[in-house]
Amino acid sequence: MSVSESIHWESIFSFKSILYIILGATCATVAIKGFMIPNHFIDGGVTGISILIHEIFHIDVSIPLLLINVPFIIIGYFKIGKTFAVHAFIAVILLAILLQFIEIPAITNDKVLIAIFGGLFIGLGIGFVIKGGGVIDGLEVIAEYSNKKFALSAGEIIMVINTIIFLIAAYSLGIEKAMYSILTYFTALQVSEYVVDGFEEYTSLTVISSKHEEMKSMIVNDYNKAISVYKGERGYLPGSFDIKHDTDIVVTVVTRLEIHKLKNAIFQMDPKAFLFIQRIKEVGGGEIKRLRNH
């Protein structure tokens, strides 16, 4: 993204963006002040580092949270976009203010409940802020930036950093607290993905079958799904490499709730059909939404 990109103030101050950021910062505050800090649990990323600093040096968690995030936001300003950086800065400032001035008593002392609901609320916070256009954890920014410098993916970089965080937590807070904190982190990760991507997760299903005409008719007419068709060849099997047949490769997009039923129908029609399934992060346009409402 170009550094010369102008800041989209209408997007920043839109009702939807402000609402998501307020909700996100509030949920994160509940997680940190109501679950994690009173029970000495941490999370991954900048939040985890900030809580660790708080635990070791007894500094208010809002201070390291703000100071550590600022360099990442600056990197995001140049590497991702100015509008994103402003969104992120507003979200981090709001979270720091809430952490500084809002007192929340410990909601529970049960370690399993802390891990589950602490992760739930921090995941909601992260997800809502991302939907509002920003972040409250700069680790994602540095991961994307480092991905271009080193032979590691963003996910691998995040995993390495979080592993170091949890190892330090195990040494400083004890192995048991670190293990529960890992559970908190993975709960937050899953919840944030649901918030950002939606519970209606889409899956791409590709079918190669000798009965491709029947497959196309069944998927469209019986299951009310749109399809795309690629012209291809099937065959090329070990021992019969020279035998090949023209075929239509049928691709459709379904939700995870629909996938099992459609798979069964495909194999019932053609037990020798070949299919593979791919998870889709996002879909837009086409007939997906409209057809599902029929």
Side-chain angles (χ1 to χ4, degrees):
M1 188 172 291
S2 174
V3 176
S4 62
E5 174 212 12
S6 60
I7 298 175
H8 299 150
W9 294 108
E10 290 184 3
S11 170
I12 290 169
F13 292 110
S14 69
F15 175 78
K16 181 179 178 181
S17 176
I18 292 172
L19 178 62
Y20 274 133
I21 288 176
I22 291 174
L23 283 174
T26 303
C27 288
T29 301
V30 171
I32 295 169
K33 298 292 287 282
F35 289 97
M36 295 182 187
I37 289 179
N39 297 284
H40 311 289
F41 277 38
I42 69 167
D43 186 28
V46 172
T47 304
I49 296 171
S50 302
I51 297 175
L52 265 180
I53 292 173
H54 165 77
E55 291 290 336
I56 296 171
F57 299 104
H58 307 293
I59 299 172
D60 191 282
V61 70
S62 63
I63 297 173
L65 184 79
L66 180 60
L67 294 179
I68 297 171
N69 267 311
V70 166
F72 297 151
I73 294 172
I74 293 172
I75 293 172
Y77 180 90
F78 292 105
K79 298 296 179 180
I80 298 178
K82 296 179 180 179
T83 302
F84 162 81
V86 174
H87 272 129
F89 184 71
I90 292 172
V92 170
I93 287 290
L94 178 58
L95 177 58
I97 291 172
L98 293 177
L99 289 172
Q100 180 71 33
F101 294 106
I102 292 183
E103 292 299 327
I104 301 175
I107 296 172
T108 179
N109 295 318
D110 186 286
K111 294 175 182 177
V112 175
L113 291 178
I114 296 164
I116 294 173
F117 285 94
L120 171 67
F121 277 99
I122 197 70
L124 288 172
I126 292 169
F128 283 141
V129 171
I130 290 175
K131 286 183 77 71
V135 291
I136 52 175
D137 194 313
L139 191 60
E140 291 284 349
V141 176
I142 199 66
E144 290 298 331
Y145 177 70
S146 300
N147 186 29
K148 300 175 182 179
K149 301 291 183 181
F150 307 104
L152 293 172
S153 68
E156 289 170 334
I157 294 167
I158 291 173
M159 183 179 67
V160 169
I161 296 173
N162 283 331
T163 299
I164 295 171
I165 293 171
F166 288 120
L167 286 174
I168 296 172
Y171 177 79
S172 303
L173 307 177
I175 294 176
E176 186 181 68
K177 290 286 178 66
M179 292 172 68
Y180 277 113
S181 295
I182 292 171
L183 178 59
T184 304
Y185 167 73
F186 280 109
T187 303
L189 183 65
Q190 194 65 47
V191 171
S192 64
E193 287 184 355
Y194 277 133
V195 173
V196 175
D197 298 332
F199 287 91
E200 197 176 54
E201 185 177 281
Y202 287 100
T203 300
S204 171
L205 187 147
T206 302
V207 186
I208 301 174
S209 169
S210 60
K211 299 181 178 180
H212 49 84
E213 292 298 334
E214 294 92 329
M215 289 289 178
K216 289 188 287 186
S217 176
M218 177 188 69
I219 294 171
V220 174
N221 296 321
D222 296 347
Y223 287 87
N224 210 26
K225 308 301 296 183
I227 62 172
S228 296
V229 178
Y230 299 93
K231 299 298 181 181
E233 294 178 336
R234 60 182 180 85
Y236 302 103
L237 299 174
S240 57
F241 179 79
D242 295 330
I243 300 176
K244 58 184 178 181
H245 306 278
D246 292 335
T247 190
D248 287 347
I249 301 171
V250 184
V251 181
T252 189
V253 175
V254 297
T255 68
R256 57 182 174 178
L257 300 178
E258 299 167 322
I259 189 69
H260 181 70
K261 182 170 62 174
L262 186 53
K263 278 173 57 181
N264 287 342
I266 288 170
F267 285 122
Q268 186 174 3
M269 177 173 286
D270 182 6
K272 295 183 179 180
F274 173 76
L275 66 83
F276 60 90
I277 297 167
Q278 295 173 298
R279 181 183 175 188
I280 299 175
K281 292 293 291 183
E282 183 176 352
V283 294
E287 298 291 328
I288 295 168
K289 294 287 187 181
R290 187 171 68 83
L291 284 173
R292 290 193 74 251
N293 292 330
H294 284 185

